[in-house]
Amino acid sequence: MENIAPRLSILRAQDAARRRIFSIETIIKGFFGGNALVAVVVLALITIFLFREGFGFFGQNLANLRLYRRAGLEYVDIMRAQADGHAALVRWLHQISLAESVPNSREQIDQFADKFSGAGTELSALVSDAGDQALALREALAGREPGNVDIETPEADSEAALAAPIDVKASLESLRTNTAKFESVAISMKQNTQPLLNEAPQPSSEKAQKSFAKWKAGAVEYLNNLPKTVDQLRRWNPDVPIPWYRSVTSFLFGKNWVTASFWQDWYGIIPLLAGSILVSLVALVIAVPLGVSAAIYVSEVAASGEKRLIKPYIEFISAIPSVVLGFFGIAVVGQAIRALSQTSFMKWVPFFPISERLNAVTAGCLLALMAIPTIFTLAEDALRNVPRGFKEASYALGANRLQTIARVLVPASLSGIISAILLGLGRVIGETMVVLLCAGNRIAIPDFTQGLGAFFQPVHTMTGIIAQEMGEVVRGSIHYRALFMVGLILFVLTLGINYLAQKMVARYRMSIG
């Protein structure tokens, strides 16, 4: 009995200690589990919010497209495309003239451009008159159909439009009489332009001659397409219904983002997506090699003094405000890239010199500077977490330092390096201020026929368009909902990139296992 009491006290003490440990573990589990739950709830709330605010865009966009067809704006745009094509050929001629170094030859090209421009005067006048007819019909139709009245239209204007009598059928028939006029103008343009092409001047420089030959082929193709446009105008029918999926496809695959237009608003995400991809590619091409190489050097090669110098300076970059980096890009980086393109020893580059200092390369260089600290820090941590035995085994087998880094350390830490690159990509694709200041903000698909020259063209991004236009739109309008749909696409794109990266890492682990 004397021995039982001490044992009981010991057991009681052990039991109390286990309870304390259990309670501490419960608190720790609850803390981290609560954080995970908060993260899931926040992610769900963001998704719900984006869907809620973007809900209704496709219905409004479908009504917008149907009004575009019923009012005859689609019909006029068929003719307008040819007028824009003629204007583009005129601008191309002036660019060739600017590239010409001989004054006499430049003067001849300018005179030829003036004559070629004059051949399209009747077409421009026809498009203007037909456009006025279509706009009047659109305003009347928008007033008669409440579902098509834009939320920003004043009530007085809507009431006036509702009260205005209109014969839609007669208005459309009057509009379609422009088909015969366009056919007559097309014949006249071909008759006036063909002799000009036969007597076209020849530039003096070889580069200008090649460009002029391409222009001449484009002009011939343009003239040959005019009869096809006449057939297209004859086949146009305003009563053909627009299917519901056109509202979705016009957004996901549309090549125009035009808002607050007197003519027609378009909400196509392709120009913004192309700009975001170009800027991100430039940033990753610069940031990934520099960030990963710096991490390998600091982790495996550098002396302790070098580590104390290099690591803080690289990580300090992340503390620089993005607006300061944007100003630096405008004043220094963009100017330096443009000056470099105009130097004599860079004339061999086909797309040099460039006229725009704010473009995808300028923004990408600044974003790379912002992504390097993230990639460097996380990649270095991944390399340090590789078990020491891996390195010692490699050296024991006779491998040198370079072989050990390339064949042992980097493969063993690949998942961590990929995670670092993904976080760097997230920093790049989600950045707003730098791209808003340095990308040029031109809403157009870059000319990929120039090859790498497309990277030196101004672009707009998904984040930039949201930041630029969100403060100016009316809540609940189609423009407002379109911006939220852009945010939703950006959100889904980021999740998709992370999912694919995890799949790649899992497949790599299976292959080396």
Side-chain angles (χ1 to χ4, degrees):
M1 294 293 295
E2 294 178 358
N3 295 330
I4 293 177
R7 291 179 181 177
L8 287 175
S9 62
I10 293 172
L11 291 174
R12 288 170 183 167
Q14 291 176 347
D15 185 58
R18 281 196 295 269
R19 288 179 180 178
R20 286 195 298 270
I21 294 173
F22 178 76
S23 63
I24 293 173
E25 290 180 351
T26 303
I27 294 172
I28 293 174
K29 289 180 180 179
F31 174 76
F32 288 106
N35 287 341
L37 180 62
V38 169
V40 172
V41 170
V42 169
L43 184 63
L45 288 176
I46 292 174
T47 306
I48 293 171
F49 175 73
L50 289 174
F51 273 105
R52 182 176 69 85
E53 295 298 325
F55 182 77
F57 164 74
F58 293 115
Q60 290 177 322
N61 194 31
L62 183 60
N64 192 35
L65 293 174
R66 286 173 175 170
L67 181 62
Y68 171 72
R69 174 168 291 180
R70 290 195 61 204
L73 274 69
E74 183 182 43
Y75 172 86
V76 179
D77 275 344
I78 296 173
M79 295 186 288
R80 191 188 300 277
Q82 299 304 317
D84 292 343
H86 186 270
L89 288 171
V90 174
R91 290 194 299 271
W92 193 354
L93 274 176
H94 287 301
Q95 291 176 358
I96 296 173
S97 174
L98 291 174
E100 183 58 58
S101 57
V102 179
N104 186 29
S105 179
R106 180 183 300 174
E107 183 179 354
Q108 291 178 355
I109 295 175
D110 287 336
Q111 292 175 355
F112 176 78
D114 293 337
K115 293 179 181 178
F116 185 82
S117 177
T121 304
E122 292 184 31
L123 177 59
S124 299
L126 176 63
V127 171
S128 178
D129 294 339
D132 291 339
Q133 291 178 273
L135 283 176
L137 181 57
R138 186 192 69 171
E139 291 175 4
L141 288 174
R144 281 173 170 266
E145 301 177 10
N148 288 332
V149 179
D150 194 276
I151 194 170
E152 301 176 36
T153 302
E155 293 182 3
D157 294 343
S158 299
E159 292 176 359
L162 286 168
I166 181 173
D167 187 344
V168 177
K169 186 176 180 180
S171 298
L172 286 173
E173 288 299 327
S174 175
L175 181 64
R176 296 191 69 173
T177 58
N178 290 291
T179 301
K181 297 178 183 178
F182 179 85
E183 184 176 13
S184 175
V185 169
I187 294 172
S188 176
M189 285 183 65
K190 198 165 186 179
Q191 291 175 347
N192 295 333
T193 306
Q194 196 63 49
L196 284 176
L197 296 178
N198 296 333
E199 300 173 1
Q202 285 297 323
S204 59
S205 64
E206 183 179 354
K207 186 176 181 179
Q209 288 175 2
K210 292 180 179 179
S211 182
F212 190 79
K214 292 180 180 179
W215 177 90
K216 197 171 182 179
V220 172
E221 183 180 0
Y222 170 79
L223 294 175
N224 292 334
N225 284 332
L226 290 177
K228 299 178 183 178
T229 304
V230 175
D231 294 338
Q232 192 176 357
L233 290 172
R234 288 172 177 165
R235 292 194 306 268
W236 180 80
N237 185 0
D239 297 325
V240 175
I242 295 180
W244 63 268
Y245 59 82
R246 276 286 302 277
S247 176
V248 180
T249 56
S250 66
F251 175 74
L252 296 179
F253 307 107
K255 299 180 180 180
N256 298 304
W257 182 278
V258 181
T259 60
S261 172
F262 77 97
W263 182 255
Q264 176 71 12
D265 290 346
W266 296 102
Y267 302 96
I269 200 174
I270 291 298
L272 309 177
L273 182 62
S276 296
I277 291 174
L278 282 184
V279 171
S280 300
L281 281 176
V282 173
L284 290 181
V285 165
I286 298 173
V288 171
L290 292 178
V292 175
S293 299
I296 293 173
Y297 180 80
V298 170
S299 175
E300 303 299 329
V301 180
S304 58
E306 292 177 306
K307 294 179 182 179
R308 288 194 298 269
L309 178 66
I310 296 174
K311 188 173 181 180
Y313 273 91
I314 293 179
E315 293 177 345
F316 175 75
I317 298 174
S318 60
I320 302 175
S322 58
V323 67
V324 175
L325 289 176
F327 285 144
F328 177 75
I330 293 174
V332 179
V333 179
Q335 186 65 30
I337 292 174
R338 184 171 65 177
L340 179 65
S341 71
Q342 295 173 349
T343 56
S344 58
F345 61 90
M346 295 299 292
K347 288 184 176 179
W348 58 273
V349 181
F351 47 85
F352 278 177
I354 59 174
S355 58
E356 302 284 351
R357 60 174 179 161
L358 304 181
N359 48 54
V361 170
T362 303
C365 291
L366 272 298
L367 290 179
L369 195 62
M370 299 176 67
I372 284 175
T374 302
I375 296 174
F376 165 77
T377 301
L378 296 176
E380 188 200 12
D381 291 340
L383 290 166
R384 288 184 179 276
N385 288 331
V386 175
R388 185 178 180 84
F390 285 21
K391 186 190 301 185
E392 294 176 350
S394 177
Y395 287 143
L397 292 173
N400 56 32
R401 177 181 291 177
L402 182 60
Q403 291 173 332
T404 300
I405 291 172
R407 299 184 181 181
V408 177
L409 296 180
V410 172
S413 60
L414 186 62
S415 60
I417 293 176
I418 291 178
S419 299
I421 295 172
L422 285 174
L423 286 175
L425 176 60
R427 178 72 190 274
V428 166
I429 204 168
E431 176 57 36
T432 302
M433 186 55 67
V434 167
V435 294
L436 200 58
L437 292 175
C438 300
N441 298 338
R442 178 188 294 171
I443 307 177
I445 299 176
D447 184 8
F448 291 104
T449 59
Q450 295 189 14
L452 293 178
F455 289 91
F456 292 87
Q457 299 174 18
V459 296
H460 216 324
T461 63
M462 292 185 285
T463 54
I465 202 73
I466 294 173
Q468 185 178 28
E469 298 184 354
M470 182 56 74
E472 303 174 358
V473 298
V474 177
R475 184 181 179 87
S477 65
I478 183 174
H479 190 184
Y480 174 85
R481 299 188 187 281
L483 293 176
F484 272 93
M485 289 306 302
V486 173
L488 184 60
I489 293 295
L490 184 62
F491 182 66
V492 171
L493 183 63
T494 304
L495 291 180
I497 291 173
N498 282 275
Y499 176 77
L500 290 176
Q502 290 176 0
K503 288 291 185 182
M504 291 172 58
V505 171
R507 182 176 296 180
Y508 176 79
R509 286 176 174 173
M510 290 176 60
S511 65
I512 64 175

